[in-house]
Amino acid sequence: HTVRPYNVDLRLLNKLEFEGEVMKLTKRNIAILSLSLAMICAVTFSARFIKYIDITAFKIIAQVFLNLSNGLIALIAMKLTDMKIEIDLRNKHQYLIGIAIALGLSVVIAVIPALCGFSLIGNHEDFSWFVLIYDLLFYLLIIGPVEEFVFRVYLQDAFVSFFEKNKWLGVVIASFLFGLWHIINGSIIQVLFTFFIGLVFGFAKYKIKDCGYVGVAFGHGLYDFLNTLVRMFIV
């Protein structure tokens, strides 16, 4: 009769020790998440000083460097918290989904308001082959992949994992942060419609089976490039 209570107590002790490790790990993850968010905001804030660079080549290098820095911060944070990174380039359906999302968002946010006499995406921009080609490459290769990696892969997956039930709240929180992040170098209006954009890409990645990171990254980059076209030819 003396052995059973001892075994029960030992199992209980092991369980408490295990729960303690889980709690410790969660606190560590939250600390890394908070630090990485602060660093991403700091890097984004520093982008406002790029306008003071007079040499175009240096300005481009600075823009690329700062954006890649945010992606690197997210990547390091994921490595430190043992988050999985899944990138599937072969799934062709996700590119079609990305195109559909980009076209839909462009019509709702850019084209229709412009045809109604106001713009949510900035002022008119004179046509330039340099700007056109640069924006195409910059948005598809840098902005789309980096911002979606930070907000839809790192932050969204992190917040989704915090909820046992109602995991969709993680998508909403990541989208809200995506919108709020734009106030650093933007405006309240940008916060509102980028929050909406974040929800669209977030739930696409979360709910649509064939839409992974590559799909939303491609869709995001294409949407931004379509805005360039709208500013040049419609606004």
Side-chain angles (χ1 to χ4, degrees):
H1 294 289
T2 58
V3 176
R4 284 183 181 176
Y6 174 77
N7 288 339
V8 170
D9 291 341
L10 184 59
R11 287 196 299 270
L12 179 61
L13 180 62
N14 289 336
K15 181 182 178 183
L16 290 174
E17 287 177 352
F18 173 74
E19 290 177 348
E21 286 300 314
V22 171
M23 188 175 293
K24 181 180 178 181
L25 179 63
T26 302
K27 288 181 178 179
R28 177 176 176 270
N29 288 351
I30 292 173
I32 292 172
L33 178 64
S34 301
L35 179 60
S36 61
L37 273 173
M39 293 174 67
I40 288 169
C41 289
V43 169
T44 304
F45 179 81
S46 67
R48 64 177 55 197
F49 299 107
I50 291 178
K51 63 184 178 182
Y52 298 111
I53 301 175
D54 294 327
I55 302 173
T56 303
F58 289 165
K59 186 176 290 189
I60 292 173
I61 291 171
Q63 288 176 329
V64 171
F65 173 76
L66 290 177
N67 277 280
L68 291 179
S69 295
N70 278 338
L72 181 61
I73 291 168
L75 178 62
I76 293 172
M78 291 185 74
K79 292 291 186 181
L80 291 175
T81 53
D82 297 323
M83 292 179 66
K84 293 182 179 179
I85 303 172
E86 297 180 358
I87 299 177
D88 181 12
L89 296 172
R90 298 181 179 180
N91 182 0
K92 297 178 181 178
H93 292 96
Q94 63 185 336
Y95 297 101
L96 297 176
I97 294 170
I99 291 172
I101 293 173
L103 289 173
L105 287 174
S106 182
V107 169
V108 172
I109 295 175
V111 176
I112 291 177
L115 293 176
C116 292
F118 64 96
S119 174
L120 295 174
I121 58 170
N123 299 323
H124 170 76
E125 193 169 349
D126 292 333
F127 176 80
S128 165
W129 279 112
F130 172 78
V131 172
L132 202 65
I133 295 171
Y134 171 74
D135 282 4
L136 176 65
L137 296 175
F138 185 60
Y139 289 138
L140 285 177
L141 300 180
I142 303 296
I143 293 295
V146 170
E147 290 190 7
E148 289 305 305
F149 184 80
V150 171
F151 288 95
R152 247 60 68 186
V153 175
Y154 170 45
L155 293 179
Q156 180 169 301
D157 288 356
F159 284 117
V160 165
S161 70
F162 288 165
F163 297 95
E164 262 184 53
K165 300 177 181 178
N166 300 321
K167 290 183 178 294
W168 59 269
L169 285 173
V171 179
V172 175
I173 293 172
S175 301
F176 174 73
L177 289 176
F178 179 63
L180 195 61
W181 177 66
H182 281 80
I183 203 171
I184 298 175
N185 294 320
S187 63
I188 294 295
I189 293 177
Q190 281 182 298
V191 170
L192 294 176
F193 72 76
T194 50
F195 170 55
F196 168 71
I197 291 170
L199 287 175
V200 172
F201 284 119
F203 278 107
K205 177 179 177 293
Y206 181 63
K207 285 292 187 180
I208 301 176
K209 181 180 178 182
D210 288 328
C211 188
Y213 159 64
V214 176
V216 293
F218 179 71
H220 186 149
L222 179 59
Y223 162 74
D224 284 347
F225 176 67
L226 290 175
N227 285 348
T228 296
L229 297 179
V230 173
R231 285 193 299 270
M232 285 184 175
F233 300 108
I234 301 179
V235 172

